[in-house]
Amino acid sequence: MSLLKKIYYKATAALPTRLIQNIAKPDVLLPYHHLVSDDEVLHTKHLYSHKNIQQFEDDLDYLLRFFKPISTEDLINHIKKHQSLPANRFLLSFDDGFREVYDIIAPILLRKGVPAVFFINPAFIDNKELFYRCKISLLIHHFLNTDLKENNITAITDLLQLPASAGKNDIIHRLKKTTQHNKDLLDRLADLLSVSFSDYLKTHQPFLSTEQLHWLKQKGFTIGGHSWDHPYYNLLPQEEQIKQTTESIKYVQKEGNELLSVFSFPHYDTLLKQSFFDALFQQQQIDLLFGIQNQKRELNNKMIHRFNAERPDVPLQLQLNGLLLFMLLQKITGRKQVKRPE
């Protein structure tokens, strides 16, 4: 997070939240996370940070002081069926289907009576496959904690097509730019360094199992699709974008016994064209789509946008007022609505 944004949040946090609520009149807040844990999670450590259990509970308790939770069904009825919704509501969501959803997050939410949506990638359920970006994090951790020999570095730079003078930072920078189109490089690099992704997958079981998915559904949580295997949509042809979306939704409806048709886009949705949505709605019945464009609305595409609430250095107590004022500014300036290129 930029220094300017931190200053903004700190300044607005000094204002009375109730007063800002009365002025901004927010309807629904949509915070999202990936995971919550007190442990060092190596497969995400070098991708993004997350809050620990106490930070997450503190955030949730603070949010519950000013907002009331709603179910996914309530939100769908509000948007799709134009049913009224009281102000100051919130719905939590969690992406990628990590096992911490079952081990840590769901028990906390059940104890506090808070519903949530868990968006999953079918390719990773039952730990059949390790998400390639998790492989990136594991490889970076290996680089940072291993004294690599010169011949190893030379082999790595050759494989990644980097200059011979490249160092660890150059290698890490290059790894972070890996996409689904060249992810095979990660497996080749792991073989070169004797890093076993399969051993890590078996030992740590980072993703949810089918049984855990069923348990979450039985407890009343909503399960949503998050694409089949988490690609960058802007790098896919439209036909594949639609396939990734529809197949993940069909999976959660069949394997997760989910009656609703909800979906959140992996990575980001900003580069998607209107033609994609038009084609998608012709092939798949959709109840609600979720993006990450900071609380904006896109009701013409049955889509609402969430905000990132998982940064450990930004407690919700610090973030909330700034977010509410930002939402008010969006409304005043007419920038609350997302507009897609054709």
Side-chain angles (χ1 to χ4, degrees):
M1 178 178 291
S2 68
L3 177 61
L4 185 60
K5 188 175 285 189
K6 287 182 179 180
I7 294 173
Y8 167 73
Y9 280 137
K10 188 173 182 180
T12 55
L15 302 172
T17 299
R18 290 291 184 197
L19 175 62
I20 295 177
Q21 275 185 297
N22 291 334
I23 296 172
K25 294 180 171 57
D27 46 11
V28 183
L29 287 186
L30 300 165
Y32 79 88
H33 296 254
H34 290 90
L35 56 88
V36 173
S37 180
D38 286 342
D39 298 329
E40 183 179 56
V41 183
L42 296 184
H43 52 274
T44 62
K45 180 179 179 180
H46 302 285
L47 304 177
Y48 48 78
S49 53
H50 63 264
K51 288 181 174 174
N52 62 36
I53 295 173
Q54 188 61 59
Q55 289 172 323
F56 177 67
E57 291 214 47
D58 288 346
D59 276 2
L60 199 50
D61 290 340
Y62 188 76
L63 191 59
L64 287 166
R65 284 176 55 189
F66 301 99
F67 289 79
K68 293 183 179 180
I70 59 169
S71 67
T72 313
E73 291 89 341
D74 290 337
L75 187 56
I76 289 172
N77 289 335
H78 163 58
I79 293 174
K80 187 177 177 181
K81 299 180 181 179
H82 307 290
Q83 294 182 3
S84 61
L85 187 72
N88 303 318
R89 295 299 189 263
F90 76 92
L91 177 63
L92 291 175
S93 59
F94 300 81
D95 289 354
D96 293 359
F98 289 116
R99 69 169 298 151
E100 286 80 5
V101 163
Y102 173 83
D103 292 340
I104 297 170
I105 296 167
I108 293 173
L109 298 182
L110 288 170
R111 175 160 45 86
K112 295 180 182 291
V114 175
V117 190
F118 300 120
F119 294 106
I120 61 102
N121 304 99
F124 312 138
I125 295 298
D126 290 322
N127 294 281
K128 298 186 295 290
E129 180 183 335
L130 186 60
F131 178 27
Y132 77 88
R133 285 191 58 78
C134 293
K135 294 179 180 181
I136 293 173
S137 184
L138 293 175
L139 287 172
I140 291 174
H141 188 77
H142 181 83
F143 291 145
L144 294 177
N145 293 274
T146 303
D147 186 17
L148 296 176
K149 297 179 181 179
E150 186 174 342
N151 61 331
N152 288 122
I153 294 178
T154 300
I156 292 168
T157 54
D158 287 346
L159 180 62
L160 298 179
Q161 297 182 330
L162 290 170
S165 58
K168 283 189 176 182
N169 289 338
D170 299 308
I171 293 171
I172 290 171
H173 181 72
R174 173 66 179 80
L175 281 175
K176 287 187 174 181
K177 289 190 172 183
T178 305
T179 72
Q180 66 263 24
H181 293 318
N182 60 348
K183 62 182 181 180
D184 62 299
L185 286 174
L186 303 174
D187 295 325
R188 292 162 63 189
L189 189 54
D191 289 342
L192 186 64
L193 297 172
S194 299
V195 173
S196 176
F197 294 140
S198 59
D199 285 351
Y200 186 89
L201 200 57
K202 291 176 183 177
T203 302
H204 295 273
Q205 299 278 293
F207 296 101
L208 292 168
S209 67
T210 301
E211 183 179 352
Q212 291 168 341
L213 206 61
H214 291 164
W215 181 88
L216 290 168
K217 185 58 190 171
Q218 290 168 3
K219 293 298 181 181
F221 294 107
T222 302
I223 310 299
H226 192 47
S227 77
W228 189 263
D229 57 3
H230 213 296
Y232 286 96
Y233 266 43
N234 61 302
L235 301 180
L236 297 176
Q238 182 172 289
E239 182 180 349
E240 182 62 25
Q241 291 174 343
I242 292 173
K243 182 179 179 181
Q244 285 273 344
T245 306
T246 57
E247 291 302 310
S248 68
I249 291 174
K250 290 174 182 176
Y251 176 92
V252 298
Q253 290 180 326
K254 180 181 178 181
E255 301 297 333
N257 299 319
E258 180 58 66
L259 298 178
L260 299 177
S261 177
V262 296
F263 179 89
S264 75
F265 289 94
H267 298 297
Y268 46 80
D269 61 90
T270 50
L271 299 177
L272 290 173
K273 296 180 179 180
Q274 184 58 45
S275 58
F276 159 77
F277 291 94
D278 295 340
L280 174 64
F281 296 142
Q282 290 179 1
Q283 297 187 35
Q284 176 70 46
Q285 188 274 324
I286 300 287
D287 288 318
L288 197 58
L289 299 172
F290 291 72
I292 55 169
Q293 296 191 47
N294 287 321
Q295 292 289 141
K296 288 187 177 182
R297 287 294 182 93
E298 197 174 349
L299 301 187
N300 59 306
N301 288 325
K302 303 179 183 179
M303 189 162 177
I304 53 177
H305 291 271
R306 306 170 293 166
F307 71 95
N308 185 342
E310 69 179 348
R311 298 184 183 96
D313 58 337
V314 187
L316 199 58
Q317 187 170 357
L318 182 68
Q319 186 179 16
L320 183 57
N321 286 357
L323 178 68
L324 294 177
L325 289 173
F326 176 72
M327 291 169 62
L328 177 61
L329 182 63
Q330 283 183 328
K331 188 184 299 184
I332 292 173
T333 59
R335 296 180 179 179
K336 190 175 179 64
Q337 181 69 25
V338 173
K339 296 179 181 180
R340 300 280 175 183
E342 293 297 328

